[in-house]
Structure formats: C-alpha cells, structure tokens
Amino acid sequence: MNKAQRLLLNTVIKSPIIPSSFRVKALKSCGLKIGKNVRIQSDGFYDTSNMSIGDNVFINRFVKFFDSNRNERIEIGNNVMIAMGVTFCTVSHQIGDSNRRGVGTISYPIVIDNGAWIGANATILPGITIAKGCVIAAGAVVTKSTEPNGLYAGVPAKRIKEL
C-alpha cells in the first residue's frame, strides 16, 4: 500500500459521515478483495493491502488491520461478524537476549473462517486461524489457532464451550 492509499484509508474514509458503500469501494480501489453485501463501519485502521473479505461480512467501528508491509495475508471468510475494537496483527518480534528482548520482525498470515464472530476488543495474533463457526469472546487474545464451532475466551484464549 502506498502513502496516498494509506492516507485515503486512514483519514478520509474513516469518517462516520462517509457511507459504508463508499468505504468498501475505496478499499477495493486500494487492492483489497471484498465480496458482496459487506458493511464496514467507520474509524477503522488499515495497514495492509493484502487482504480479502468474503460475502455477508460486517466489520464494526475501530477495527485495526496491521501488516506493516510484510505482505502477509489477512483473509476473512463469508458470514463473519467482527465487533468494535478488534485488532488483527500479522507482525511480531523475535525474542532476543536480555540486552534487547524484541529483535527482528516476524510475520504470519491470519485466517478467519466462515461463520465466525469476533467479539469486541479481541486481538488476533500472527499465524492464527479462527476455525469455522467459532466465537471469540470480547477481550480475548488469540495466541493459538482454534478448532471449529467453539467459544474461546480469556487471555490467552481457551476453548470454554462447544457450540
């Protein structure tokens, strides 16, 4: 994503007065693949152009997508609901010695499978796959990929219920 696209996505279209349909068109013009019947609310942050969003997806306000030009994919399937304040982060750091613990960046893709629901202020870390039909509870930090049709909650997120 170039600087002009980043400016468009993270200043102009984030305004609540911009309709969702215009926001979707602007995201498509910046290289994101977006399906049918997608609603994207205002105040999001986009630091990726390697992203796909399936059909019938709802993305609420204040959702953040971080890739930092590492070109890792963020893939959101069909019929996914994403609540406000969710963070998707494909990038982290390797652990160094005691002089500097955070060294060298690493990155891995994130996949959200069909029918998932990500609760408010959840954080999805690099390399995670949220399996089909999962619910991620509000505030959860997902550090490991999930199994289908489960409710995951906590920090780190753990499966607490079969759905």
Side-chain angles (χ1 to χ4, degrees):
M1 176 182 309
N2 65 41
K3 289 181 184 180
Q5 290 171 323
R6 186 169 280 127
L7 179 68
L8 171 71
L9 296 182
N10 295 312
T11 58
V12 177
I13 70 159
K14 78 184 292 179
S15 169
I17 65 170
I18 302 294
S20 176
S21 58
F22 181 82
R23 197 170 290 113
V24 167
K25 287 177 186 173
L27 289 164
K28 284 181 178 180
S29 75
C30 291
L32 280 70
K33 293 176 178 67
I34 301 178
K36 298 174 185 168
N37 195 32
V38 172
R39 289 187 19 223
I40 300 174
Q41 301 298 85
S42 64
D43 298 304
F45 179 80
Y46 302 88
D47 186 30
T48 182
S49 56
N50 191 7
M51 187 166 137
S52 67
I53 300 171
D55 297 333
N56 307 311
V57 171
F58 176 76
I59 299 173
N60 210 327
R61 298 180 71 192
F62 308 112
V63 176
K64 299 167 287 298
F65 300 94
F66 292 101
D67 182 45
S68 299
N69 295 322
R70 302 296 291 187
N71 207 28
E72 288 296 349
R73 184 150 191 77
I74 298 173
E75 183 177 326
I76 299 171
N78 298 320
N79 306 309
V80 171
M81 300 286 288
I82 300 172
M84 73 277 300
V86 173
T87 299
F88 296 89
C89 187
T90 67
V91 182
S92 189
H93 295 278
Q94 298 172 0
I95 298 176
D97 63 27
S98 61
N99 291 320
R100 183 175 179 140
R101 290 294 182 200
V103 297
T105 57
I106 56 171
S107 61
Y108 302 100
I110 293 173
V111 176
I112 310 300
D113 207 341
N114 298 336
W117 174 18
I118 314 296
N121 296 309
T123 300
I124 313 300
L125 295 178
I128 298 302
T129 295
I130 303 296
K132 182 177 182 174
C134 280
V135 174
I136 306 301
V141 177
V142 184
T143 62
K144 295 181 181 174
S145 293
T146 66
E147 296 295 322
N149 300 311
L151 171 61
Y152 288 78
V155 179
K158 293 184 178 4
R159 187 180 185 105
I160 61 169
K161 185 176 181 180
E162 181 78 21
L163 298 175

